[in-house]
Amino acid sequence: MPGLLLGDEAPNFQADTTHGPIRFHEFLGGSWGILFSHPRDFTPVCTTELGRAAKLAPEFAKRNIKMIALSIDDVKDHLSWSKDINAYNGDEITEKLPFPIIADAKRELAVQLGMLDPEERDKDGIPLTARVVFVFGPDKKLKLSILYPATTGRNFDEILRVVDSLQLTAAKKVATPVDWKPGDQVMVIPSLSDEEAKKLFPGGVCAKNLPSGKNYLRYTPQPQ
């Protein structure tokens, strides 16, 4: 069955993009990566999304994340569409965006990665590419997958928040609770004993008393 599951290695596909041909693993190098797909060029929701992604490109760069988009049209259309995206942002009207857009005119990559939306179809009755977000770690493995229907735009501030959580929890033995934001308290993972937690987190560990008597809600300041 096509598609990627958490922990799967990204396929090392070759593709034409607005920044030239790529091989995906070489494009990622040793960085984190985000791949976000779009149903079609010159469509309203996609234009707002790519505009927001372009504005947030410096934030992704700070986090050592390579950005790359995918849409089902060809490179020529992508380049023309990029002018509209820059105009939407109020920026200089050029064909240049801070990240490449993959050309997937035959939907081959969308099928391989499990990105098609069976409910949303174009005028010819062909399934559109859904709004998928894949985040890959430096090991090229899938760390996060979010799937939106074609009719719902993504929240890129939330994607940044999730990336912050992924990178923090990959480096430290913590988890992030509901609605966590960078700088908030984090949770000690259940596999750590109280003694281990005290040694690892000099900022202190605070446990919430619960009716069950179980000591599993343990908080600590976000480690640096």
Side-chain angles (χ1 to χ4, degrees):
M1 180 177 176
L4 288 178
L5 300 176
L6 293 181
D8 285 352
E9 183 174 274
N12 192 21
F13 59 82
Q14 291 181 277
D16 290 327
T17 80
T18 51
H19 290 191
I22 65 155
R23 185 177 284 275
F24 193 51
H25 285 193
E26 283 68 23
F27 169 79
L28 291 175
S31 301
W32 288 71
I34 178 169
L35 169 60
F36 45 104
S37 61
H38 297 268
R40 173 147 273 164
D41 295 4
F42 305 106
T43 52
V45 176
C46 297
T47 300
T48 64
E49 287 188 320
L50 281 179
R52 182 63 175 151
K55 289 290 190 186
L56 287 175
E59 291 298 321
F60 284 99
K62 285 180 192 175
R63 293 160 172 80
N64 190 32
I65 299 176
K66 297 275 189 71
M67 304 171 71
I68 189 165
L70 176 149
S71 185
I72 62 172
D73 294 290
D74 59 26
V75 168
K76 182 179 178 182
D77 281 340
H78 290 349
L79 291 170
S80 179
W81 183 33
S82 296
K83 294 180 180 179
D84 288 358
I85 295 163
N86 282 316
Y88 165 77
N89 274 348
D91 295 330
E92 183 183 357
I93 300 175
T94 71
E95 296 179 340
K96 185 174 178 59
L97 290 173
F99 48 79
I101 306 175
I102 295 169
D104 191 32
K106 296 181 180 178
R107 295 176 170 82
E108 292 171 346
L109 191 52
V111 169
Q112 181 184 359
L113 298 177
M115 291 176 162
L116 292 184
D117 184 341
E119 299 298 324
E120 295 290 334
R121 297 174 181 267
D122 65 15
K123 59 182 176 58
D124 299 316
I126 299 172
L128 295 173
T129 305
R131 302 184 192 282
V132 177
V133 178
F134 288 149
V135 176
F136 299 97
D139 57 2
K140 313 290 189 298
K141 292 183 179 179
L142 184 64
K143 307 300 181 184
L144 172 79
S145 174
I146 311 177
L147 177 62
Y148 296 74
T151 49
T152 300
R154 285 162 280 207
N155 184 324
F156 276 81
D157 292 316
E158 166 63 5
I159 293 169
L160 271 177
R161 187 196 73 88
V162 173
V163 164
D164 285 334
S165 173
L166 290 172
Q167 293 186 333
L168 174 64
T169 57
K172 306 292 182 180
K173 294 185 177 181
V174 297
T176 56
V178 62
D179 295 335
W180 173 86
K181 299 182 295 297
D184 289 352
Q185 284 190 320
V186 295
M187 308 189 86
V188 178
I189 57 175
S191 59
L192 280 182
S193 69
D194 288 340
E195 287 304 312
E196 289 172 319
K198 286 177 184 177
K199 292 176 184 177
L200 276 177
F201 307 116
V205 176
C206 176
K208 185 173 179 63
N209 292 324
L210 298 168
S212 66
K214 298 182 184 296
N215 189 37
Y216 62 88
L217 281 182
R218 297 176 296 170
Y219 294 87
T220 188
Q222 179 180 323
Q224 300 303 312

